[in-house]
Amino acid sequence: MRFAAHYSLLFVALCCILSVHAESCNDMGISTSITTIFDSEITQVLFATQDLQVVYVLSDSIVYQSKDGGVTFNSIENQMSNYTGVYFMEKGAADNIVYFLGSDYMSYWFTREGDTFKLHSSDDAYILSLIPHPSDANLVLRSVFDCTPVCSTKLEVSVSQATENSWTLVRDYVYEANWGEGHQLFLISVSDEIIESGESMYNVGIEDRRLFIAEDFSESFDYISPPGLYSFLYTGDVLYAAKYDNQTAHSDIFLLYDPASSSLNDIVQAEFHSNTQVQHVDSDLYVILDNTEGISFLAVCMPNETMTANLFQSDLLNGQYYQSLPYQRTSCDGRNFVGSDFQTIFGMNGVYMANNYNSTKFNTVPRPNMDDYIQSEVTFNKGGTWQHLSVPEDSTCTGCNLHLFSNADGSVVSHILSDAESVGLVIATGNEGIYRGPLGEADVYLSRNGGYSWEYLKEGLQKYAISNHGSLFLTTTMASTSTMSFSWTQGTEWTTCSMYDSLLDIQTLETISESSDNPKFLIIGVVEGSENGFIGIIDFEDATPRVCDGQEDAGSETSDYELFTPETENGCLLGERKSYIRRKQNVECISRTQEYSNPQGSCECQRIDYTCAGNCWQEALSGDGSIICVNACAGEEGDPEAPPTNCTGTYMKPSGYTLVSGDSCVDGLQLDAPIETSCPSNELESSSATPAPIASSSESSSSPIPIPSTNPSPSPSTSNTTTTPGTGGSPDEGMSIFLIIGIIVAIIIIAVIAFIVLIAILYKTNPKVRGLLNTYLPKSMGGGSGDTKLYSVLGNGDGTNSLFMDDDMFVDENIDVPVSSDNTALGSLLDFDDDDAEGAIDIQL
């Protein structure tokens, strides 16, 4: 922290005094409606309408409803017949459609308008999940655990909003399922032969499971994968699938881009490049981090590591992953996943932040406590290059950088916050140093240019939120508090007010503004000293300043708006120079206008527009401290700089650089241009023959001495040939026949070896060749496995698809009902957001 440690007690005492004497928020015109009628912590909040007026809260299996935007709540237990409690709520695709799953796992309630709640039951089958269609309000998937005729999980579909007699069987023995594009359906099941055998689905290993894809959610399937593909996630137009590898006992990833329009036979294996080898990496967990800007980022957990992954990135279309950031900090426990320290900075294309461990310390034996060697990085070119975060200009920490707390730290700290409607604004918790310090020494920082530079914002640990277009900042302390602070000037001036007469432990603070004119926030937590959960709506509708003016004159002294140009390499971002019109920092006004960019043309290419060209090319520091791409495979097989066979004259050597995906720079620095290079000298090859004796001039003129041949057989000489009677010719003539035969055999052997080498190279570098070999070679020769390693399929949609609430993805046979209500996506794939974190409150807006 910036203040000395011995001031901490004084600071706490001062906060207590302020919380007692702070002016009431309500007296300032700020409505702080806090409801504390809940007997235990709140586990789920669901907004049922787009205007956010109908709200449902789940606490201790009891559902509460508000019809006035969260100001007042009432239990609806008496309106739900045969009420057995609710363990989860699901929102339909239209306003007011909500499904309430019963705690007995055999019933659910359904409402269309929020006034009546219709009970539906499943007879003797256990309902494991309901999955409403994301856009068609009539369609719902349901998984049920049924023992007729054998115990298994069945997937059913309803086209009538889950009414009781509307369910149609899709398939039996289903482990996972979810919607795709339109009426497309993805699921994990087993072959018909296994189902017909009557074998328990819980005895079927993951190596026998398959991915099924149906275009019309019927019993006929358009695609059935090879065995071993056991888990998938469909997110951001990409379907990622995990396949079990029998040889390594780990999972691989396979890809398919846009399954709604692509050929389903185009599923390919994701390949992870490191040095010269294509690595089908052994990992127990892959975390899908982002794929919204044409780049797919995956955190691939390192074997036997609990908090360390390697960050890989790939163009969406090819599945070729290259290491972007080593030793990236990620929670690698799939059963108790906390998070991955990777954050997309919304509103600015190509900007991401991540935490990693110092590589030297990580590889030290014995390894020190790596929590002492965490460092934060930012990229402005989609992972092409990473750099440390700078400390504020007024920092007194010499030789330091700013290091942030992020997703892998869990709910003990607020995570990095950015918003597409507040371009450039980033709020984060961290501290200054060579490496990141303890949480107790953290403060809150603000960047107004996407992380390029930072300024000090607030002392200590805080919860924070930003209203639309950055008009209003709101913070509360992480410790028990009854006050909140807000700023209309993006942190240059703060006002504190009292929002409640008792201390509150605030767990969640989020903006829920439905319009720019009315900043509104949601707070959730527990009343200090009790088990009572609370929910509050903080509404600034009657306390807003004037409306901002002067957008057409942005940048002038009289305007409330400024022209924001990213401060990266002459204002260029991904090869394009643009400025954004946004609200100034020090003006107190409400901005109604969406930030928009003003393109000013392409930039000349600079170093930041390039990244290393994959495979053998890796980042390194030059003598002057700049980042360069070096060849890590020099002199090895697959060396990209090696000259071609039979090189004569010159050849074009690759530079090791390539433009970042999506970069539109022109002219300028052409780092990706190949370099014309002279072929190696042939002198060494010509000098390898046995040298001839050097004759004197007299000897040379009278009797020339022949140069010995490099051939293994002696060359016949006409001057020395003698005929032996009875042989029918020269003995050298017979030897020449053997020589010819030997040459032919040698040529055949060389050709076979060259063919094998060529096939080996193609096997490692070409997925289609590898697939053909694995398909048609007999198992004894190494075939039969490669075409079922790991699939990645690209599609639309988000959300978990596990039909089982238990961590092992099926109901435990030793119990009667599923053992957990955790909806976190399970298996080897995780699509992470804040709601996936362990213990997070599920909020559906």
Side-chain angles (χ1 to χ4, degrees), residues 148-159:
T148 307
V150 296
C151 292
S152 66
T153 298
K154 297 176 172 60
L155 182 67
E156 301 172 335
V157 64
S158 168
V159 297

Side-chain angles (χ1 to χ4, degrees), residues 289 297-299 309-313 322-325 328 342 386:
L289 298 171
F297 285 97
L298 286 181
N310 286 316
L311 179 63
F312 286 85
Q313 67 181 80
Y322 297 94
Q323 184 170 285
S324 177
L325 189 67
Q328 187 250 350
F342 179 94
W386 294 84

Side-chain angles (χ1 to χ4, degrees), residues 531-757:
E531 297 181 355
N532 296 88
F534 75 85
I535 183 171
I537 304 295
I538 302 174
D539 192 340
F540 282 81
E541 182 177 13
D542 297 327
T544 57
R546 62 181 176 84
V547 176
C548 297
D549 188 32
Q551 187 177 28
E552 64 281 357
D553 299 320
S556 67
E557 292 185 3
T558 58
S559 175
D560 294 322
Y561 292 90
E562 65 182 358
L563 291 173
F564 161 59
T565 301
E567 297 182 38
T568 56
E569 300 293 335
N570 300 324
C572 296
L573 200 60
L574 294 177
E576 186 178 14
R577 181 177 290 106
K578 63 174 64 174
S579 60
Y580 297 85
I581 296 177
R582 67 177 186 182
R583 206 205 76 166
K584 291 179 178 177
Q585 181 175 24
N586 291 316
V587 294
E588 294 191 25
C589 61
I590 284 283
S591 178
R592 291 178 172 175
T593 307
Q594 174 69 44
E595 287 81 355
Y596 64 89
S597 62
N598 180 24
Q600 299 172 350
S602 297
C603 301
E604 288 191 348
C605 296
Q606 305 168 75
R607 173 61 184 90
I608 196 172
D609 296 301
Y610 293 92
T611 184
C612 295
N615 275 0
C616 297
W617 299 101
Q618 297 182 350
E619 289 185 355
L621 289 178
S622 65
D624 61 1
S626 60
I627 298 175
I628 59 174
C629 296
V630 297
N631 181 10
C633 308
E636 301 177 6
E637 181 182 354
D639 182 355
E641 294 183 300
T645 305
N646 300 322
C647 181
T648 58
T650 62
Y651 72 101
M652 303 308 292
K653 183 172 66 176
S655 69
Y657 297 86
T658 185
L659 274 177
V660 172
S661 176
D663 196 294
S664 58
C665 71
V666 295
D667 301 328
L669 182 64
Q670 301 297 301
L671 273 182
D672 57 345
I675 304 167
E676 185 173 5
T677 305
S678 298
C679 293
S681 172
N682 292 321
E683 293 179 0
L684 181 62
E685 180 180 349
S686 62
S687 65
S688 61
T690 304
I694 301 176
S696 65
S697 58
S698 60
E699 291 176 324
S700 174
S701 60
S702 59
S703 59
I705 300 176
I707 299 175
S709 170
T710 58
N711 291 327
S713 301
S715 300
S717 172
T718 56
S719 61
N720 295 326
T721 300
T722 57
T723 303
T724 304
T727 61
S730 169
D732 290 334
E733 186 175 345
M735 295 187 67
S736 67
I737 296 175
F738 290 109
L739 174 63
I740 294 172
I741 295 174
I743 291 174
I744 293 173
V745 171
I747 292 174
I748 293 174
I749 293 174
I750 292 172
V752 171
I753 294 174
F755 179 77
I756 293 174
V757 170

Side-chain angles (χ1 to χ4, degrees), residues 14 35 79 175 203 266 292 307 311 471 572:
L14 180 61
T35 304
Q79 298 174 250
Y175 299 86
N203 293 332
D266 290 338
T292 58
M307 284 297 296
L311 179 63
S471 297
C572 296

Side-chain angles (χ1 to χ4, degrees), residues 161-180:
Q161 297 181 342
T163 53
E164 194 158 319
N165 297 315
S166 64
W167 296 101
T168 300
L169 178 68
V170 176
R171 189 168 181 82
D172 205 347
Y173 284 53
V174 175
Y175 299 86
E176 293 182 22
N178 211 341
W179 296 105

Side-chain angles (χ1 to χ4, degrees), residues 422-543:
S422 306
V423 175
L425 298 184
V426 185
I427 300 179
T429 301
N431 44 42
E432 303 165 26
I434 305 299
Y435 302 105
R436 197 180 76 178
L439 181 62
E441 298 177 4
D443 297 313
V444 181
Y445 293 82
L446 169 68
S447 173
R448 301 190 72 249
N449 48 25
Y452 189 80
S453 63
W454 295 83
E455 59 190 73
Y456 178 81
L457 186 66
K458 273 273 191 178
E459 184 179 10
L461 300 179
Q462 304 276 334
K463 290 284 186 182
Y464 35 77
I466 304 174
S467 73
N468 295 2
H469 314 308
S471 297
L472 178 63
F473 288 3
L474 181 67
T475 70
T476 66
T477 65
M478 292 284 290
S480 298
T481 184
S482 62
T483 65
M484 67 180 191
S485 298
F486 60 92
S487 173
W488 293 105
T489 59
Q490 297 181 357
T492 61
E493 297 177 357
W494 291 93
T495 301
T496 300
C497 64
S498 175
M499 58 182 170
Y500 196 63
D501 54 7
S502 297
L503 292 177
L504 305 172
D505 289 330
I506 298 175
Q507 300 168 345
T508 298
L509 173 62
E510 288 194 14
T511 180
I512 55 170
S513 306
E514 64 267 28
S515 70
S516 303
D517 291 345
N518 180 20
K520 186 182 294 186
F521 301 88
L522 171 72
I523 57 171
I524 304 171
V526 178
V527 178
E528 172 75 3
S530 74
E531 297 181 355
N532 296 88
F534 75 85
I535 183 171
I537 304 295
I538 302 174
D539 192 340
F540 282 81
E541 182 177 13
D542 297 327

